[in-house]
Amino acid sequence: MHYDVVVVGSGPGGYVAALRAMQLGASVALVEQDRIGGVCLNWGCIPTKTLIASAGVLELVKKAEDFGLDVEGSVRPNMRKIIARKQKVIETQGKGIQNLLEKRGISMVWGHATVTKNRDIEVQGQDGGSQLLQWNKLILALGSSILTLPALPIDGHTVITSDQALELIEVPEHIIIVGGGVIGCEFATLFARLGSKVTVIEGLSRLLPIPGVDAECSKLLGREMKKRKIDVRLNQTVLNAEVNEDEAMVHIGPSSFHASNADDQEKRKTLQADKVLVCVGRRPNTQNFNLEHIGVRCDSKGWIQADEFMCAASDVYAVGDVLGPQRIMLAHVASYEAIVAAENALGGNHRTMDYMHAPGAIFTAPEVACAGLSQAQAEDEGYTVRSATVLFRSLGKAQATGELTGQAKIIMNATDNRLLGVHLVGAHATELITQAAFMLKMGCSVHDVAQTIHPHPTLSEIMFEASNVLIGRAVHN
Amino acid sequence: MKELEELNLPEDLSYSIDHVWVQNQGEKARLGITDFAQDQLGEIVFVELPETDDAFNQGEAFCTVESLKTVVEVYIPIGGTIVTVNNELEDSPELVNNDPYEQGWLVEITPTDRAALGSLMKKDEYLEMLKGSD
């Protein structure tokens, strides 16, 4: 079969690229070897949020008394039911995407794809059969998989991946989470809320060690983890572990990222847990794809290199996780890249991808959300930085709902008052960040924010307060 | 809020401009926040304490106190190394409100320079400072 556009991978990059290409009048085939929706729908964004939602309800019921409610009996998580609910949400969403694709006339092709030199893609189905798809334009949304640690082999029972953590039918008594990045921190607060004792081991000097996340967010999240009695070990790395069916003894020591004596025996510790969750990063799904046949280049770690038009080679585009951490590995970024790629594939390279204003949304408890530059990034870029921080607990809405935790930090360029970044920690931060992303995209000044009437009583008032603090016109703070 | 004359300010303690009290215990010194500070903060809901062996220079933040209405960093009035922290505060931060000088102490330190204790204020000087800023 011949198609104007063949898209490989049906995650939030791939399926959106297919839909946009179809809208633009192309004949489109979408190849998927596993589940529709990719990591986002099946092992990432959506399943983690359903589990987090269960943990949130559990926490609310436990706090019912604080809100004047008498609750009789006990409440505890039933992981089988929580997992079943998660699965139902995934299936509903998956069917929704599949119906949408079918209705629009996109051909779904199931199986593992490899490219040949002749603008063909061979798709090997699970039934052993294969199909050849010819393309004018190819969009690669191959995605990423879990990266593991040689010192800590995954056995799927005691030492597990984040995929397997989504299938646990019992709440672990003590879970060690290796990696204090986004995935590690989300699971840390999730399991702590479900009742596990949690230890987080992070090799760098802060949680969420991501340039776009302001250091103050990491510090605040660390304090919130202390409140939840999560044991956070920074600058530490796993040396090795003894693992059996019931438990793991994990030996940790100063990480090589840390300047101190890494060989200092005294600084080594042994931690015991019934589960160890490895969250140390992702790797590209480019193996066995024969990218070299179509002139696509990868970096030393295998991430595909694409230009600002999302173009990876002549008539070949790449979007999403497979571009690696340099391009921000987030579902909503992938979907936007997909639109840019599809439009360029069919209309000539005319749209460029703007990563500058891509918001980050981290579903810890409390949530962390960032848009624009962190203070360190802004200083590195040579701006004259001024920032203001306002606490959520200063707002009436936060007091009314009991969601006191957290703050908003607004960063501006003092020479022209232009907004440079917004960093939120607190309830609904991931919803509130959209306003900031929009303002950054529009190039707003802090005065624009300070002169926008924000509804009362809402948590969004924090943007109004913080911007007024920055320009010295705050009434409350 | 308490009136100044209602404040409990023990005679045998020293006080810093940042509302931290210091009790000289010989080798060690015990630190906490003053009755004035806890009263200003209101209901305290969490105290983030440092780790033992953490070292701080004079004026550095060594502790964070969260109340229902605000979050403040507490600055160490004399440099030193943390020897003991008050673990009771982990589950009972309200001790800082109820008993700021006894059960609500924060940390014990070994001062880097014991002479620095002499730079702190006595009760009357601290009270004068509060009157001045009132």
Side-chain angles (χ1 to χ4, degrees), chain B residues 16 23 55 89 118:
Chain B
S16 80
Q23 184 182 45
L89 301 180

Side-chain angles (χ1 to χ4, degrees), chain A residues 41-277:
Chain A
L41 175 57
N42 297 285
W43 303 280
C45 317
I46 302 300
T48 51
K49 263 80 272 174
T50 65
L51 265 56
I52 287 167
S54 293
V57 174
L58 173 68
E59 198 161 63
L60 259 187
V61 176
K62 285 181 174 172
K63 286 198 292 192
E65 214 170 277
D66 296 348
F67 291 81
L69 306 175
D70 294 330
V71 178
E72 287 174 15
S74 64
V75 54
R76 59 185 178 280
N78 179 327
M79 288 309 290
R80 284 184 194 275
K81 290 181 182 170
I82 289 174
I83 301 291
R85 176 178 177 275
K86 173 211 74 170
Q87 215 50 45
K88 194 176 165 196
V89 171
I90 290 175
E91 278 160 25
T92 306
Q93 290 290 101
K95 276 181 198 155
I97 296 171
Q98 199 157 345
N99 286 342
L100 190 60
L101 295 167
E102 282 169 10
K103 262 192 204 158
R104 299 276 170 87
I106 291 165
S107 305
M108 277 303 298
V109 182
W110 297 93
H112 179 76
T114 46
V115 284
T116 71
K117 289 176 181 167
N118 309 318
R119 291 193 170 228
D120 285 336
I121 285 214
E122 189 183 356
V123 183
Q124 200 79 41
Q126 281 189 339
D127 56 4
S130 74
Q131 298 189 45
L132 217 52
L133 310 176
Q134 291 172 316
W135 48 270
N136 284 349
K137 307 283 178 180
L138 180 61
I139 300 178
L140 302 173
L142 305 175
S144 67
S145 305
I146 282 162
L147 189 69
T148 54
L149 281 177
L152 208 52
I154 303 295
D155 68 2
H157 179 78
T158 305
V159 182
I160 58 173
T161 64
S162 58
D163 292 359
Q164 291 157 345
L166 297 170
E167 305 296 334
L168 290 180
I169 50 170
E170 278 177 25
V171 177
E173 201 169 305
H174 179 193
I175 185 164
I176 294 174
I177 296 176
V178 183
V182 172
I183 300 170
C185 285
E186 285 192 6
F187 274 109
T189 52
L190 167 66
F191 282 116
R193 293 164 103 190
L194 290 173
S196 299
K197 175 178 176 342
V198 179
T199 304
V200 178
I201 298 165
E202 167 54 46
L204 295 172
S205 60
R206 63 165 171 137
L207 294 168
L208 305 177
I210 302 156
V213 175
D214 197 85
E216 276 188 41
C217 297
S218 302
K219 191 177 162 195
L220 216 158
L221 181 63
R223 192 192 308 148
E224 291 305 315
M225 286 199 182
K226 274 191 188 173
K227 282 186 196 170
R228 295 181 182 280
K229 303 199 183 335
I230 296 173
D231 181 8
V232 177
R233 311 280 181 111
L234 299 175
N235 301 309
Q236 297 285 306
T237 192
V238 173
L239 304 169
N240 50 55
E242 289 120 44
V243 179
N244 63 37
E245 258 199 24
D246 302 319
E247 62 171 20
M249 304 293 281
V250 179
H251 306 290
I252 64 168
S255 76
S256 52
F257 303 116
H258 194 47
S260 83
N261 314 319
D263 289 330
D264 191 344
Q265 290 282 344
E266 281 179 23
K267 290 182 179 165
R268 295 187 177 183
K269 298 250 162 56
T270 298
L271 307 170
Q272 181 190 7
D274 53 330
K275 295 281 178 212
V276 182
L277 169 55

Side-chain angles (χ1 to χ4, degrees), chain B residues 18 32 34 39 42 47 55 71 82 86 93 98-99 104 106-107 111 120 130-131:
Chain B
D18 297 313
T34 67
D39 184 55
V47 181
V71 181
I82 307 292
N86 185 357
N98 300 341
D99 195 5
L106 299 177
V107 298
L120 298 169
L130 293 180
K131 282 179 185 162

Side-chain angles (χ1 to χ4, degrees), chain A residues 219-220 222-224 226-227 229 391 393-394 399 404-405, chain B residues 45-46 48-49 64 66-71 73 90-91:
Chain A
K219 191 177 162 195
L220 216 158
R223 192 192 308 148
E224 291 305 315
K226 274 191 188 173
K227 282 186 196 170
K229 303 199 183 335
L391 303 175
R393 70 193 67 203
S394 66
Q399 293 285 339
L404 300 183
T405 293
Chain B
V45 291
F46 186 70
E48 186 184 27
L49 294 166
T64 308
E66 281 191 38
S67 72
L68 283 181
K69 62 181 182 187
T70 193
V71 181
E73 306 231 79
E90 197 177 317
D91 292 319

